[in-house]
Amino acid sequence: MTLFDEVGAVALLCADPEGARAWVRRVLGALADPEPATARLRETLQVFLATGGSLATTARRLQVHRNTVKYRVGRAYEVRGRPLGSADHDRLDVELALRACVWLGPPAAPAD
């Protein structure tokens, strides 16, 4: 069972799945790629943001070492091409885009 509170915003994005995937790609850049290693970076960043930026709590939740979390978060920012901006909307967009990847799946990698 899934609570609406867990997927409410993503449910709104489902009205236009293709538009939602394009938006996710714009927000996350290459961090939206479907590869398993990139999926781990997204998962780590999502938990990191949900824990208020706590490396220790994220590490406990993911059952990895704190340094692994630190590396993955830094790598996620590198792959995205930019860190979280100082604007609240950037963080909210990133968190929502990460959640959308979980529920809608990552968008297909762009064609070269």
Side-chain angles (χ1 to χ4, degrees):
M1 175 174 18
T2 302
L3 300 175
F4 186 78
D5 288 348
E6 294 176 17
V7 297
V10 175
L12 296 173
L13 292 173
C14 288
D16 181 9
E18 290 310 308
R21 285 189 175 95
W23 175 80
V24 166
R25 170 67 57 191
R26 281 192 308 275
V27 171
L28 297 181
L31 189 57
D33 289 352
E35 289 81 24
T38 308
R40 275 190 303 278
L41 297 178
R42 284 194 306 272
E43 176 190 27
T44 302
L45 184 57
Q46 184 176 12
V47 174
F48 178 75
L49 294 173
T51 62
S54 171
L55 294 173
T57 304
T58 301
R60 278 195 303 278
R61 286 194 187 170
L62 296 177
Q63 298 179 336
V64 297
H65 193 276
R66 179 184 180 279
N67 289 342
T68 300
V69 173
K70 185 176 180 179
Y71 169 79
R72 287 182 187 172
V73 168
R75 186 75 183 114
Y77 292 151
E78 286 177 22
V79 170
R80 181 179 181 232
R82 62 193 185 276
L84 285 180
S86 58
D88 288 338
H89 72 277
D90 186 48
R91 180 185 169 116
L92 179 61
D93 285 354
V94 170
E95 289 187 80
L96 182 55
L98 291 168
R99 186 164 292 202
C101 281
V102 170
W103 291 102
L104 300 175
D112 291 330

